[in-house]
Amino acid sequence: MAETFTQVGFRPSANVARMQPSSTLAAMQAAMRMKAEGVDVVDLGAGEPDFDTPGHIKEAAAEAMRAGQTKYTPTGGTRKLQEAIVGYYEREFGARLEPDEVMATAGGKQAIFNAVVTLCGPGDEVLIPKPYWVTFPEIVNFAGATPVFIDTEATGFHLKAEQVAEAITTRTRLIIINSPSNPSGRVISPREFEKIMEAAAARGLYVVSDECYLRFVYPPAEVFTAATLAPELRARLCIAGSFSKTYAMTGWRIGYSVAPAAWTREMNKVQSHSTSNPSSISQAAAVAAFDSSQECVAEMLAEYKRRRDWLVRALQDIPGLRCLEPEGAFYVFPEVRGCYGERVRSSAEFADKLLQEAQTVVTDGAGFGCDGFIRMSYATSLERLEEGVARIRRVAERCAG
């Protein structure tokens, strides 16, 4: 009988052994299992839009297939997509980019991965504000570097330049910033972002700006891309962008990075030996997304705002919960410490109670570096949000009783 991995003593590499499974994917898989068993699940764990990809984008992909665009492309994407990204940033933000600063990736996650592994290794430290997207520290671990966390709870999860400056050491190589934030929905103001970049540049550091939720910002907060910063600051910056959220294209696995040409060349090397080019068909769809009307984005944003406004008010009315109003993305990140007691002693236990007793899926905040909080997605219908809140209220009241 053939031996299994366990029998032959399989051990992962040291860097991989340091990594943890994705808590967001675990929540999604738990919801899928329960739904497959016929359970009426309210899934508030999903990190993807509930909208379908707009029709004109799907049609562009179908036309690309009919035209035979089904072959390899250059590793960093087609020239047409690079030019579409350059044109989009100039039209929408007045930012001037060059095609050799842009490369296509298999989602925004790969853009961040490329940026970190080309820059960081053993002995380096990478600053990551808390709460963070679950993948940030794991990419740093994979690179053999050390994640160092900046706690922002005292500032309402708003990262400040002073916090960054205080956290920098002689080993700091890179800072990863995510605005609008997953999971908190907080948005860094343009001037504060500039001050953070100035603090980093003054110490010779680099910055990765994860702009996955770039367009999902609710007034009076401002839509801001670091691509508009002064050239001397952009010289130390890599922007990770994505089509997944803005255009409801999560399954298409298409993103991009914007970085100095020399950094981009190194990231192309990494990608050439990992995935090679992203899907040629997805690239054609991405061109259509950036080159056509942005009305579909405005429609999604308006609906997200309607859900956010209702959900924040509803959660603030539940005993034991405290919820700040997110300024962007499509998540709320309520504190649940007020529900702690004999039956619940952590946000993980609270999330498990919601799953087991109320068939409601949320994501434990500990996975984002913040025990005591839960992430809830409002990328679902208002009707399901209403049902989910009713179930959460029942569990919270039992915990308090």
Side-chain angles (χ1 to χ4, degrees), residues 205-229:
L205 310 182
Y206 294 84
V207 175
V208 169
S209 176
D210 177 359
E211 300 184 2
C212 180
Y213 297 90
L214 173 64
R215 301 312 301 252
F216 289 163
V217 174
Y218 311 109
E222 300 176 56
V223 174
F224 170 76
T225 173
T228 60
L229 292 171

PDB file of all heavy atoms in Angstrom, residues 205-229:
ATOM      1  N   LEU A 205      11.984  53.846   3.513  1.00  0.00           N
ATOM      2  CA  LEU A 205      11.126  52.664   3.482  1.00  0.00           C
ATOM      3  C   LEU A 205      10.264  52.649   2.226  1.00  0.00           C
ATOM      4  O   LEU A 205      10.130  53.651   1.522  1.00  0.00           O
ATOM      5  CB  LEU A 205      10.217  52.646   4.715  1.00  0.00           C
ATOM      6  CG  LEU A 205      10.884  52.844   6.064  1.00  0.00           C
ATOM      7  CD1 LEU A 205       9.853  52.754   7.170  1.00  0.00           C
ATOM      8  CD2 LEU A 205      11.993  51.823   6.279  1.00  0.00           C
ATOM      9  N   TYR A 206       9.627  51.497   1.976  1.00  0.00           N
ATOM     10  CA  TYR A 206       8.707  51.333   0.863  1.00  0.00           C
ATOM     11  C   TYR A 206       7.294  51.119   1.399  1.00  0.00           C
ATOM     12  O   TYR A 206       7.106  50.725   2.550  1.00  0.00           O
ATOM     13  CB  TYR A 206       9.134  50.164  -0.017  1.00  0.00           C
ATOM     14  CG  TYR A 206      10.439  50.404  -0.723  1.00  0.00           C
ATOM     15  CD1 TYR A 206      11.660  50.145  -0.093  1.00  0.00           C
ATOM     16  CD2 TYR A 206      10.459  50.922  -2.018  1.00  0.00           C
ATOM     17  CE1 TYR A 206      12.862  50.384  -0.739  1.00  0.00           C
ATOM     18  CE2 TYR A 206      11.657  51.164  -2.673  1.00  0.00           C
ATOM     19  CZ  TYR A 206      12.854  50.897  -2.029  1.00  0.00           C
ATOM     20  OH  TYR A 206      14.033  51.144  -2.666  1.00  0.00           O
ATOM     21  N   VAL A 207       6.310  51.366   0.538  1.00  0.00           N
ATOM     22  CA  VAL A 207       4.902  51.242   0.926  1.00  0.00           C
ATOM     23  C   VAL A 207       4.157  50.462  -0.140  1.00  0.00           C
ATOM     24  O   VAL A 207       4.311  50.722  -1.340  1.00  0.00           O
ATOM     25  CB  VAL A 207       4.239  52.628   1.108  1.00  0.00           C
ATOM     26  CG1 VAL A 207       2.746  52.473   1.390  1.00  0.00           C
ATOM     27  CG2 VAL A 207       4.917  53.410   2.233  1.00  0.00           C
ATOM     28  N   VAL A 208       3.347  49.494   0.294  1.00  0.00           N
ATOM     29  CA  VAL A 208       2.366  48.848  -0.574  1.00  0.00           C
ATOM     30  C   VAL A 208       0.999  49.385  -0.179  1.00  0.00           C
ATOM     31  O   VAL A 208       0.597  49.289   0.985  1.00  0.00           O
ATOM     32  CB  VAL A 208       2.390  47.316  -0.441  1.00  0.00           C
ATOM     33  CG1 VAL A 208       1.175  46.705  -1.149  1.00  0.00           C
ATOM     34  CG2 VAL A 208       3.664  46.747  -1.033  1.00  0.00           C
ATOM     35  N   SER A 209       0.296  49.982  -1.137  1.00  0.00           N
ATOM     36  CA  SER A 209      -1.046  50.512  -0.905  1.00  0.00           C
ATOM     37  C   SER A 209      -2.059  49.588  -1.559  1.00  0.00           C
ATOM     38  O   SER A 209      -2.163  49.524  -2.790  1.00  0.00           O
ATOM     39  CB  SER A 209      -1.164  51.926  -1.484  1.00  0.00           C
ATOM     40  OG  SER A 209      -2.483  52.417  -1.344  1.00  0.00           O
ATOM     41  N   ASP A 210      -2.806  48.854  -0.744  1.00  0.00           N
ATOM     42  CA  ASP A 210      -3.844  47.949  -1.243  1.00  0.00           C
ATOM     43  C   ASP A 210      -5.100  48.784  -1.483  1.00  0.00           C
ATOM     44  O   ASP A 210      -5.768  49.208  -0.540  1.00  0.00           O
ATOM     45  CB  ASP A 210      -4.101  46.845  -0.225  1.00  0.00           C
ATOM     46  CG  ASP A 210      -5.226  45.904  -0.640  1.00  0.00           C
ATOM     47  OD1 ASP A 210      -5.817  46.117  -1.719  1.00  0.00           O
ATOM     48  OD2 ASP A 210      -5.516  44.963   0.117  1.00  0.00           O
ATOM     49  N   GLU A 211      -5.428  49.008  -2.758  1.00  0.00           N
ATOM     50  CA  GLU A 211      -6.560  49.854  -3.129  1.00  0.00           C
ATOM     51  C   GLU A 211      -7.683  49.033  -3.765  1.00  0.00           C
ATOM     52  O   GLU A 211      -8.365  49.471  -4.689  1.00  0.00           O
ATOM     53  CB  GLU A 211      -6.084  50.982  -4.043  1.00  0.00           C
ATOM     54  CG  GLU A 211      -5.042  51.868  -3.367  1.00  0.00           C
ATOM     55  CD  GLU A 211      -4.595  53.071  -4.188  1.00  0.00           C
ATOM     56  OE1 GLU A 211      -5.113  53.265  -5.310  1.00  0.00           O
ATOM     57  OE2 GLU A 211      -3.725  53.822  -3.703  1.00  0.00           O
ATOM     58  N   CYS A 212      -7.881  47.842  -3.226  1.00  0.00           N
ATOM     59  CA  CYS A 212      -8.880  46.904  -3.747  1.00  0.00           C
ATOM     60  C   CYS A 212     -10.289  47.506  -3.732  1.00  0.00           C
ATOM     61  O   CYS A 212     -11.101  47.229  -4.617  1.00  0.00           O
ATOM     62  CB  CYS A 212      -8.820  45.630  -2.913  1.00  0.00           C
ATOM     63  SG  CYS A 212      -9.960  44.338  -3.392  1.00  0.00           S
ATOM     64  N   TYR A 213     -10.585  48.331  -2.710  1.00  0.00           N
ATOM     65  CA  TYR A 213     -11.921  48.920  -2.563  1.00  0.00           C
ATOM     66  C   TYR A 213     -11.922  50.402  -2.943  1.00  0.00           C
ATOM     67  O   TYR A 213     -12.741  51.178  -2.449  1.00  0.00           O
ATOM     68  CB  TYR A 213     -12.412  48.747  -1.119  1.00  0.00           C
ATOM     69  CG  TYR A 213     -12.562  47.297  -0.721  1.00  0.00           C
ATOM     70  CD1 TYR A 213     -11.491  46.597  -0.155  1.00  0.00           C
ATOM     71  CD2 TYR A 213     -13.752  46.619  -0.922  1.00  0.00           C
ATOM     72  CE1 TYR A 213     -11.612  45.265   0.192  1.00  0.00           C
ATOM     73  CE2 TYR A 213     -13.881  45.282  -0.565  1.00  0.00           C
ATOM     74  CZ  TYR A 213     -12.819  44.608  -0.006  1.00  0.00           C
ATOM     75  OH  TYR A 213     -12.943  43.279   0.333  1.00  0.00           O
ATOM     76  N   LEU A 214     -11.017  50.785  -3.820  1.00  0.00           N
ATOM     77  CA  LEU A 214     -10.759  52.180  -4.166  1.00  0.00           C
ATOM     78  C   LEU A 214     -12.021  53.010  -4.376  1.00  0.00           C
ATOM     79  O   LEU A 214     -12.157  54.105  -3.821  1.00  0.00           O
ATOM     80  CB  LEU A 214      -9.892  52.221  -5.438  1.00  0.00           C
ATOM     81  CG  LEU A 214      -9.624  53.584  -6.073  1.00  0.00           C
ATOM     82  CD1 LEU A 214      -8.824  54.466  -5.129  1.00  0.00           C
ATOM     83  CD2 LEU A 214      -8.894  53.422  -7.399  1.00  0.00           C
ATOM     84  N   ARG A 215     -12.973  52.530  -5.185  1.00  0.00           N
ATOM     85  CA  ARG A 215     -14.132  53.344  -5.543  1.00  0.00           C
ATOM     86  C   ARG A 215     -15.279  53.243  -4.549  1.00  0.00           C
ATOM     87  O   ARG A 215     -16.246  54.011  -4.641  1.00  0.00           O
ATOM     88  CB  ARG A 215     -14.650  52.947  -6.929  1.00  0.00           C
ATOM     89  CG  ARG A 215     -13.651  53.098  -8.062  1.00  0.00           C
ATOM     90  CD  ARG A 215     -12.950  54.443  -8.071  1.00  0.00           C
ATOM     91  NE  ARG A 215     -13.840  55.572  -8.185  1.00  0.00           N
ATOM     92  CZ  ARG A 215     -13.972  56.325  -9.280  1.00  0.00           C
ATOM     93  NH1 ARG A 215     -13.278  56.044 -10.355  1.00  0.00           N
ATOM     94  NH2 ARG A 215     -14.787  57.353  -9.282  1.00  0.00           N
ATOM     95  N   PHE A 216     -15.194  52.317  -3.595  1.00  0.00           N
ATOM     96  CA  PHE A 216     -16.296  52.144  -2.656  1.00  0.00           C
ATOM     97  C   PHE A 216     -16.054  52.992  -1.407  1.00  0.00           C
ATOM     98  O   PHE A 216     -15.659  52.507  -0.350  1.00  0.00           O
ATOM     99  CB  PHE A 216     -16.461  50.668  -2.296  1.00  0.00           C
ATOM    100  CG  PHE A 216     -17.001  49.839  -3.436  1.00  0.00           C
ATOM    101  CD1 PHE A 216     -16.880  48.462  -3.423  1.00  0.00           C
ATOM    102  CD2 PHE A 216     -17.630  50.421  -4.519  1.00  0.00           C
ATOM    103  CE1 PHE A 216     -17.390  47.690  -4.466  1.00  0.00           C
ATOM    104  CE2 PHE A 216     -18.144  49.666  -5.567  1.00  0.00           C
ATOM    105  CZ  PHE A 216     -18.024  48.302  -5.544  1.00  0.00           C
ATOM    106  N   VAL A 217     -16.301  54.293  -1.566  1.00  0.00           N
ATOM    107  CA  VAL A 217     -16.122  55.277  -0.500  1.00  0.00           C
ATOM    108  C   VAL A 217     -17.408  56.097  -0.397  1.00  0.00           C
ATOM    109  O   VAL A 217     -17.958  56.527  -1.417  1.00  0.00           O
ATOM    110  CB  VAL A 217     -14.924  56.200  -0.788  1.00  0.00           C
ATOM    111  CG1 VAL A 217     -14.826  57.311   0.255  1.00  0.00           C
ATOM    112  CG2 VAL A 217     -13.627  55.390  -0.828  1.00  0.00           C
ATOM    113  N   TYR A 218     -17.866  56.314   0.840  1.00  0.00           N
ATOM    114  CA  TYR A 218     -19.121  57.015   1.068  1.00  0.00           C
ATOM    115  C   TYR A 218     -18.850  58.452   1.514  1.00  0.00           C
ATOM    116  O   TYR A 218     -18.107  58.666   2.485  1.00  0.00           O
ATOM    117  CB  TYR A 218     -19.944  56.286   2.137  1.00  0.00           C
ATOM    118  CG  TYR A 218     -20.053  54.808   1.878  1.00  0.00           C
ATOM    119  CD1 TYR A 218     -19.380  53.891   2.681  1.00  0.00           C
ATOM    120  CD2 TYR A 218     -20.807  54.324   0.816  1.00  0.00           C
ATOM    121  CE1 TYR A 218     -19.464  52.527   2.438  1.00  0.00           C
ATOM    122  CE2 TYR A 218     -20.897  52.960   0.559  1.00  0.00           C
ATOM    123  CZ  TYR A 218     -20.217  52.069   1.374  1.00  0.00           C
ATOM    124  OH  TYR A 218     -20.292  50.718   1.126  1.00  0.00           O
ATOM    125  N   PRO A 219     -19.435  59.438   0.833  1.00  0.00           N
ATOM    126  CA  PRO A 219     -19.247  60.836   1.249  1.00  0.00           C
ATOM    127  C   PRO A 219     -19.657  61.015   2.708  1.00  0.00           C
ATOM    128  O   PRO A 219     -20.576  60.314   3.176  1.00  0.00           O
ATOM    129  CB  PRO A 219     -20.183  61.595   0.306  1.00  0.00           C
ATOM    130  CG  PRO A 219     -20.335  60.693  -0.887  1.00  0.00           C
ATOM    131  CD  PRO A 219     -20.294  59.297  -0.343  1.00  0.00           C
ATOM    132  N   PRO A 220     -18.997  61.895   3.460  1.00  0.00           N
ATOM    133  CA  PRO A 220     -18.024  62.900   2.990  1.00  0.00           C
ATOM    134  C   PRO A 220     -16.584  62.395   2.847  1.00  0.00           C
ATOM    135  O   PRO A 220     -15.708  63.176   2.509  1.00  0.00           O
ATOM    136  CB  PRO A 220     -18.101  63.959   4.083  1.00  0.00           C
ATOM    137  CG  PRO A 220     -18.397  63.184   5.330  1.00  0.00           C
ATOM    138  CD  PRO A 220     -19.325  62.080   4.894  1.00  0.00           C
ATOM    139  N   ALA A 221     -16.318  61.116   3.116  1.00  0.00           N
ATOM    140  CA  ALA A 221     -14.965  60.597   2.873  1.00  0.00           C
ATOM    141  C   ALA A 221     -14.649  60.723   1.379  1.00  0.00           C
ATOM    142  O   ALA A 221     -15.552  60.719   0.533  1.00  0.00           O
ATOM    143  CB  ALA A 221     -14.861  59.152   3.329  1.00  0.00           C
ATOM    144  N   GLU A 222     -13.363  60.834   1.065  1.00  0.00           N
ATOM    145  CA  GLU A 222     -12.949  61.091  -0.308  1.00  0.00           C
ATOM    146  C   GLU A 222     -12.300  59.861  -0.937  1.00  0.00           C
ATOM    147  O   GLU A 222     -11.517  59.167  -0.297  1.00  0.00           O
ATOM    148  CB  GLU A 222     -11.922  62.236  -0.345  1.00  0.00           C
ATOM    149  CG  GLU A 222     -12.402  63.556   0.207  1.00  0.00           C
ATOM    150  CD  GLU A 222     -11.291  64.589   0.225  1.00  0.00           C
ATOM    151  OE1 GLU A 222     -10.711  64.851  -0.846  1.00  0.00           O
ATOM    152  OE2 GLU A 222     -10.995  65.120   1.312  1.00  0.00           O
ATOM    153  N   VAL A 223     -12.643  59.635  -2.221  1.00  0.00           N
ATOM    154  CA  VAL A 223     -11.933  58.626  -2.995  1.00  0.00           C
ATOM    155  C   VAL A 223     -10.521  59.138  -3.251  1.00  0.00           C
ATOM    156  O   VAL A 223     -10.333  60.278  -3.690  1.00  0.00           O
ATOM    157  CB  VAL A 223     -12.641  58.358  -4.339  1.00  0.00           C
ATOM    158  CG1 VAL A 223     -11.817  57.407  -5.196  1.00  0.00           C
ATOM    159  CG2 VAL A 223     -14.034  57.784  -4.100  1.00  0.00           C
ATOM    160  N   PHE A 224      -9.536  58.310  -2.947  1.00  0.00           N
ATOM    161  CA  PHE A 224      -8.146  58.744  -3.079  1.00  0.00           C
ATOM    162  C   PHE A 224      -7.279  57.580  -3.523  1.00  0.00           C
ATOM    163  O   PHE A 224      -7.385  56.475  -2.986  1.00  0.00           O
ATOM    164  CB  PHE A 224      -7.612  59.274  -1.742  1.00  0.00           C
ATOM    165  CG  PHE A 224      -6.132  59.521  -1.734  1.00  0.00           C
ATOM    166  CD1 PHE A 224      -5.595  60.628  -2.364  1.00  0.00           C
ATOM    167  CD2 PHE A 224      -5.272  58.620  -1.118  1.00  0.00           C
ATOM    168  CE1 PHE A 224      -4.224  60.851  -2.380  1.00  0.00           C
ATOM    169  CE2 PHE A 224      -3.893  58.834  -1.127  1.00  0.00           C
ATOM    170  CZ  PHE A 224      -3.372  59.954  -1.756  1.00  0.00           C
ATOM    171  N   THR A 225      -6.435  57.829  -4.505  1.00  0.00           N
ATOM    172  CA  THR A 225      -5.427  56.851  -4.894  1.00  0.00           C
ATOM    173  C   THR A 225      -4.042  57.440  -4.682  1.00  0.00           C
ATOM    174  O   THR A 225      -3.795  58.616  -4.994  1.00  0.00           O
ATOM    175  CB  THR A 225      -5.577  56.418  -6.356  1.00  0.00           C
ATOM    176  OG1 THR A 225      -4.447  55.592  -6.701  1.00  0.00           O
ATOM    177  CG2 THR A 225      -5.634  57.605  -7.307  1.00  0.00           C
ATOM    178  N   ALA A 226      -3.149  56.616  -4.175  1.00  0.00           N
ATOM    179  CA  ALA A 226      -1.769  57.066  -3.952  1.00  0.00           C
ATOM    180  C   ALA A 226      -1.041  57.359  -5.253  1.00  0.00           C
ATOM    181  O   ALA A 226       0.046  57.931  -5.239  1.00  0.00           O
ATOM    182  CB  ALA A 226      -1.013  56.014  -3.138  1.00  0.00           C
ATOM    183  N   ALA A 227      -1.655  56.999  -6.393  1.00  0.00           N
ATOM    184  CA  ALA A 227      -1.049  57.303  -7.694  1.00  0.00           C
ATOM    185  C   ALA A 227      -0.965  58.803  -7.955  1.00  0.00           C
ATOM    186  O   ALA A 227      -0.235  59.243  -8.849  1.00  0.00           O
ATOM    187  CB  ALA A 227      -1.847  56.634  -8.809  1.00  0.00           C
ATOM    188  N   THR A 228      -1.706  59.592  -7.181  1.00  0.00           N
ATOM    189  CA  THR A 228      -1.687  61.048  -7.363  1.00  0.00           C
ATOM    190  C   THR A 228      -0.619  61.738  -6.517  1.00  0.00           C
ATOM    191  O   THR A 228      -0.495  62.969  -6.582  1.00  0.00           O
ATOM    192  CB  THR A 228      -3.058  61.645  -7.014  1.00  0.00           C
ATOM    193  OG1 THR A 228      -3.383  61.338  -5.643  1.00  0.00           O
ATOM    194  CG2 THR A 228      -4.147  61.078  -7.911  1.00  0.00           C
ATOM    195  N   LEU A 229       0.142  60.992  -5.744  1.00  0.00           N
ATOM    196  CA  LEU A 229       1.178  61.596  -4.906  1.00  0.00           C
ATOM    197  C   LEU A 229       2.336  62.106  -5.754  1.00  0.00           C
ATOM    198  O   LEU A 229       2.485  61.751  -6.933  1.00  0.00           O
ATOM    199  CB  LEU A 229       1.690  60.570  -3.894  1.00  0.00           C
ATOM    200  CG  LEU A 229       0.698  60.149  -2.798  1.00  0.00           C
ATOM    201  CD1 LEU A 229       1.237  58.973  -2.009  1.00  0.00           C
ATOM    202  CD2 LEU A 229       0.392  61.329  -1.869  1.00  0.00           C
TER     203      LEU A 229
END
